[in-house]
Amino acid sequence: VFLTPVDGGDITEVLRSLEEAGIPVVNLDIRVKEAGMVDAYVGSDNRNAGYACGEDLIDRCPDGGKILIMENPSISSLNERITGFERSIANKGFEVLSRAQVSGDKEQAKEKMEEFLEKYPQIDAVMCASDQIALGALDAVKKSGREDLRIYSVGGSPQIKAEIAKED
């Protein structure tokens, strides 16, 4: 069985049933909490991906800055990205202005980012847990006309790749 759980913590009974039936399990993408109950894991190192985003931000803003975090805490892989990012920037002069739980929804992220743009005159970067969140934040930034901030995300969706390829 190739298994990609929505939540790696609430799947124990399924794993137990598969184990009792002698069916091998390959865990994909979101790591299950009971790692000893699967035969193999194939997936991204989401914590390291978030850490890499933070390292890039440190390179671009060596004196620190003001940041926002837009997350979706219900999905463990997205939490890992945020955790890695936060570990990377810890004690490097960055201030988290605010956090928003936007459920991975592009429109929710856009609305929240619009609020943040009105509330905070200085934002150096936004760390987004997913590409959909980043796309919503980007829409709000474009609408505002501001060009003074960076948006970080992990995922590599076709929409994000198209945005990165644009000259602006």
Side-chain angles (χ1 to χ4, degrees), residues 83-145:
T83 297
F85 178 79
E86 290 177 306
R87 284 189 179 163
S88 178
I89 65 165
N91 302 313
K92 303 284 195 224
F94 291 95
E95 175 189 353
V96 177
L97 296 170
S98 193
R99 306 176 82 93
Q101 297 181 10
V102 293
S103 303
D105 182 77
K106 181 180 174 183
E107 281 305 310
Q108 238 184 346
K110 180 181 177 185
E111 290 169 14
K112 198 62 176 173
M113 190 66 199
E114 287 171 347
E115 290 174 27
F116 288 150
L117 288 165
E118 284 188 32
K119 184 175 183 178
Y120 301 110
Q122 180 188 349
I123 302 168
D124 295 297
V126 183
M127 176 59 188
C128 301
S130 72
D131 286 352
Q132 286 304 306
I133 295 171
L135 289 166
L138 179 61
D139 285 351
V141 170
K142 284 180 176 180
K143 181 179 172 185
S144 75

Side-chain angles (χ1 to χ4, degrees), residues 37-53:
M37 296 180 77
V38 299
D39 297 280
Y41 171 74
V42 179
S44 303
D45 184 344
N46 286 294
R47 188 170 295 198
N48 188 54
Y51 192 90
C53 290

